[in-house]
Amino acid sequence: MSKLKVEARDFNLYYGDFQALKNINFQAEPNTITAFIGPSGCGKSTFLRSFNRMNDLIVGVRTTGETTIDGVNVYDKSINVDELRKQVGMVFQKPNPFPKSIFENVAYGLRVNGVKDKTFIEEKVVSSLKQAALWEEVKDKLKKSALAISGGQQQRLCIARALAISPSIILMDEPASALDPISTAKIEDLVYELKKDYTIIIVTHNMQQAGRVSDRTAFFYMGDLVECDDTTTIFTNPKNIQTQNYITGRFG
Amino acid sequence: MSHLNTELERLKEDTIEMWSLVISQLERAKLAIENFDDNLVNEIGANEKRVDAFELKLDMDCENILALFNPVANDLRFVLSVLKINYNLERIGDYAKGISRCIKQTKEPFSDEVLRETHIISMFEVALDMLKCTLESFENETNQQAITVFSKDEYLDQINREANKAISDIIKKDIDKAEDTLQLLSFIRKLERVGDQTQNIAEEIVFYLEAKVLKHKKNKTL
C-alpha cells in the first residue's frame, strides 16, 4: 500500500452541542479521486472542509481526533492555516470568480502570496488555464472580466485559480451541480485528468457522477461514515444496507 | 412505491410469466411424447411465438430501465440477471419447440419400454423440477431452491453420456424403427441442454441475490 495522502483518525467535529461528525476514520491514497455521498446534513461537506480547516470560520466549532495530510495533523497548533490552504485547494458549488479579469483571477493567489516575477506569473496562469481545459476558450480574452464568461467556464476558471498556487489536494464541493450537462461533462473529464497530479475529494449529490469520476466512494449518514470502498463495489455490491438503500433511492 | 420499484416489479412479473410459459412448453413436450399427441405439438408451435415475443419485450424493458433509471447495486444486479435469464428461458423454449418438431417427424409412438430404457421421461421430470426450483427462488428471492439444480443437473449429464450406447442397443433390437429411435437421441441431447441453461439461470439468481459469480466454477457452493 502506498503512503497515505489524507487520513482521518477517530475524528469528531461539533458545532456547539451538535455533533456533526462521529468518530470518522478515513484514508485516501495519493492521485486518487474519492467521492463523498450522502443525504443533505449528513456531514460530508463538513468533513471535506476539515481538510483545509474551513470550518474554523464557524463560531463554536470544536474537533477531536486527527485529520492528517502527508501524515501531519492539520489541527496541530503548529499548523499555519494559510500555508495549509495553499496545499489544499478548494472549488465550491457555485462558481465564484472575483470581479476581475480572467488573467487576474488565476494570478490572484500568486500575487497575495507575494510572487512578483511577471514571467513566472504569466507562465503559471497559462499552464493553470491549460490544465483546467479552459485555455483554448479564453486565450484571446484574458483581459476580459471573468464575470462575462459562462457558468461552466467560470467553474473551470475557479479550478485554474486553485491550481495556480500548486496545491497537492483539491477539494470540490458539488462542483458541477449548478452546471448544464455539457459543462458538467467537461468538469468531470477535467477532474479525471487532474488525478494524475493531485489527490481529489469531491462531494456530490449526483450518484452517476460519483460512479463516473471517482476511484473510491464514501457514504455518510447522520455524521457517520457508513461505508467507504472502491466505487465499483459501492455501486454494484455495497456491504451496508443503509448504503444500498441510499444509492438505490430508497431513502434520503 | 417509487417509479423504479414499479418498473422492477413489473419486470419481475413479466419474467415469471415467461418462465411459467416455458415450463408449460416443456410439460407439453413431455406429454406429446408420452401420448404421441399431435395437438400438443401444434400448441407448442403456436406458443413458441409468445415465448419469442416475451423475450423481445423483456429485452426492451431491461434496456429502458438501464437507460432511464440508471439502477445500481441490487437493482442493477436484478436487471442484469433478468437480461440473461430471459435469454436462457428463450433457449429452453427453443428446445421444447425442437422436441416437438422431432415428434412430428416420428412415425409411430414410442413404447413404454423404450421410454423407460432411455430415461426420457425421468429426464423431463428432472429438467422440469430444476426449472420450477429456479422459478421459486426467483419469486421468493431466496437461494435455497436455485442451488439444488447444480446437483440435479448431474443426472441429466449422466444419461446424456450413456445415451449413445442406450440408443444403439435399442436400434439393434429393432432396426426397422432406427429412424424413430434416433429422434430419442435428439430428445436426450436437448434435455441435457435444458439442464445447462437452467444451471445458468440458477447462477444468475445467485448473482442477483448474493453478488457472487458461480459461472465457470466447478464448485458451485456459496
Side-chain angles (χ1 to χ4, degrees):
Chain A
M1 194 172 169
S2 58
K3 208 175 159 195
L4 293 174
K5 184 71 191 173
V6 177
E7 190 176 13
R9 285 194 291 262
D10 301 327
F11 185 69
N12 294 281
L13 187 143
Y14 303 83
Y15 293 121
D17 294 335
F18 174 70
Q19 185 171 6
L21 293 172
K22 299 170 188 167
N23 212 37
I24 305 289
N25 286 285
F26 168 81
Q27 298 178 333
E29 290 180 23
N31 304 101
T32 57
I33 304 171
T34 306
F36 287 176
I37 59 169
S40 298
C42 68
K44 57 190 186 301
S45 289
T46 297
F47 188 46
L48 186 81
R49 287 155 183 260
S50 302
F51 294 112
N52 62 352
R53 291 184 49 178
M54 288 287 281
N55 295 317
D56 288 10
L57 306 172
I58 301 165
V59 178
V61 163
R62 187 163 59 84
T63 64
T64 64
E66 288 187 345
T67 54
T68 68
I69 289 171
D70 295 322
V72 177
N73 183 11
V74 302
Y75 283 90
D76 195 89
K77 283 186 186 125
S78 64
I79 292 290
N80 177 330
V81 178
D82 291 339
E83 288 300 318
L84 170 70
R85 288 179 191 156
K86 275 189 221 165
Q87 201 188 340
V88 187
M90 190 153 190
V91 178
F92 298 87
Q93 181 177 8
K94 278 177 78 176
N96 55 354
F98 302 132
K100 291 169 174 286
S101 71
I102 292 168
F103 185 94
E104 284 306 320
N105 261 274
V106 185
Y108 186 84
L110 297 168
R111 292 200 202 284
V112 297
N113 279 300
V115 179
K116 299 227 163 54
D117 183 339
K118 273 189 177 176
T119 317
F120 176 79
I121 291 176
E122 266 184 37
E123 281 172 6
K124 201 72 191 169
V125 168
V126 173
S127 67
S128 300
L129 285 169
K130 281 182 177 168
Q131 248 191 320
L134 189 61
W135 174 248
E136 288 301 322
E137 294 165 55
V138 300
K139 64 184 178 191
D140 300 324
K141 46 183 174 185
L142 293 175
K143 296 234 165 72
K144 294 257 171 70
S145 167
L147 303 178
I149 56 179
S150 76
Q153 289 172 327
Q154 285 183 10
Q155 191 63 311
R156 277 179 284 148
L157 179 65
C158 292
I159 293 173
R161 188 175 64 191
L163 299 180
I165 52 165
S166 306
S168 60
I169 297 169
I170 304 173
L171 308 176
M172 296 182 161
D173 198 349
E174 296 183 55
S177 63
L179 305 179
D180 67 54
I182 305 280
S183 304
T184 299
K186 283 187 181 166
I187 296 284
E188 288 178 7
D189 290 344
L190 172 59
V191 170
Y192 190 74
E193 278 296 310
L194 292 175
K195 185 174 95 161
K196 285 193 287 231
D197 301 310
Y198 307 91
T199 304
I200 298 168
I201 303 176
I202 180 168
V203 164
T204 179
H205 277 295
N206 183 330
M207 294 295 132
Q208 279 71 46
Q209 183 170 72
R212 283 191 297 261
V213 303
S214 69
D215 303 300
R216 306 265 298 170
T217 296
F219 170 60
F220 290 81
Y221 186 59
M222 294 177 78
D224 288 308
L225 172 51
V226 176
E227 187 171 354
C228 182
D229 210 330
D230 290 344
T231 297
T232 48
T233 304
I234 292 284
F235 284 94
T236 56
N237 183 24
K239 301 287 173 290
N240 192 291
I241 190 71
Q242 281 182 315
T243 313
Q244 175 163 299
N245 286 343
Y246 181 71
I247 62 172
T248 57
R250 289 187 173 83
F251 85 86
Chain B
M1 196 184 264
S2 74
H3 190 176
L4 172 61
N5 271 350
T6 311
E7 293 295 327
L8 293 174
E9 205 49 51
R10 197 173 297 156
L11 184 66
K12 186 176 177 180
E13 283 165 16
D14 287 346
T15 309
I16 290 169
E17 203 175 328
M18 180 181 185
W19 217 307
S20 305
L21 178 61
V22 169
I23 289 173
S24 72
Q25 288 285 80
L26 209 58
E27 279 171 340
R28 280 192 191 91
K30 173 176 169 268
L31 285 173
I33 291 175
E34 284 177 313
N35 304 328
F36 205 59
D37 187 336
D38 214 30
N39 288 333
L40 287 170
V41 168
N42 292 336
E43 274 180 35
I44 292 170
N47 278 324
E48 170 64 8
K49 292 189 182 73
R50 284 183 61 209
V51 176
D52 289 348
F54 258 120
E55 186 201 14
L56 295 178
K57 182 180 185 310
L58 290 177
D59 261 356
M60 196 173 70
D61 290 346
C62 288
E63 190 183 328
N64 287 343
I65 290 172
L66 289 171
L68 302 178
F69 297 94
N70 309 127
V72 292
N74 56 331
D75 294 340
L76 175 65
R77 296 201 305 274
F78 176 74
V79 177
L80 292 177
S81 300
V82 167
L83 258 180
K84 294 183 192 174
I85 289 170
N86 180 31
Y87 168 79
N88 292 129
L89 287 175
E90 196 276 334
R91 293 302 304 272
I92 295 172
D94 280 350
Y95 292 127
K97 166 81 177 159
I99 291 171
S100 77
R101 259 199 223 111
C102 294
I103 299 169
K104 207 154 200 167
Q105 290 162 9
T106 309
K107 295 181 192 81
E108 285 178 43
F110 297 106
S111 69
D112 289 346
E113 192 192 345
V114 163
L115 291 178
R116 200 172 46 249
E117 280 173 22
T118 51
H119 304 285
I120 295 280
I121 300 305
S122 63
M123 273 189 104
F124 264 108
E125 280 162 0
V126 170
L128 281 163
D129 176 46
M130 287 168 70
L131 259 178
K132 286 171 187 170
C133 282
T134 51
L135 172 58
E136 201 178 314
S137 263
F138 182 81
E139 273 189 290
N140 302 331
E141 307 199 346
T142 54
N143 274 329
Q144 287 95 323
Q145 290 297 310
I147 56 178
T148 63
V149 308
F150 301 126
S151 56
K152 287 173 183 166
D153 187 52
E154 284 167 18
Y155 175 75
L156 301 183
D157 289 344
Q158 193 195 335
I159 294 176
N160 184 47
R161 278 194 298 273
E162 295 164 1
N164 282 358
K165 179 164 187 328
I167 297 296
S168 60
D169 285 349
I170 296 168
I171 290 174
K172 278 178 208 161
K173 276 190 228 163
D174 191 349
I175 194 77
D176 293 342
K177 287 188 181 169
E179 210 173 315
D180 278 2
T181 310
L182 279 172
Q183 301 288 14
L184 290 165
L185 188 62
S186 171
F187 298 157
I188 291 171
R189 300 285 188 245
K190 287 183 169 63
L191 288 168
E192 190 273 332
R193 294 296 301 142
V194 169
D196 289 347
Q197 300 286 342
T198 312
Q199 266 211 77
N200 293 344
I201 291 174
E203 288 168 358
E204 289 310 321
I205 292 172
V206 171
F207 170 71
Y208 159 47
L209 295 174
E210 303 276 335
K212 284 186 179 145
V213 178
L214 298 183
K215 214 173 265 275
H216 307 308
K217 278 190 186 157
K218 282 210 170 119
N219 183 3
K220 306 275 188 193
T221 49
L222 294 180

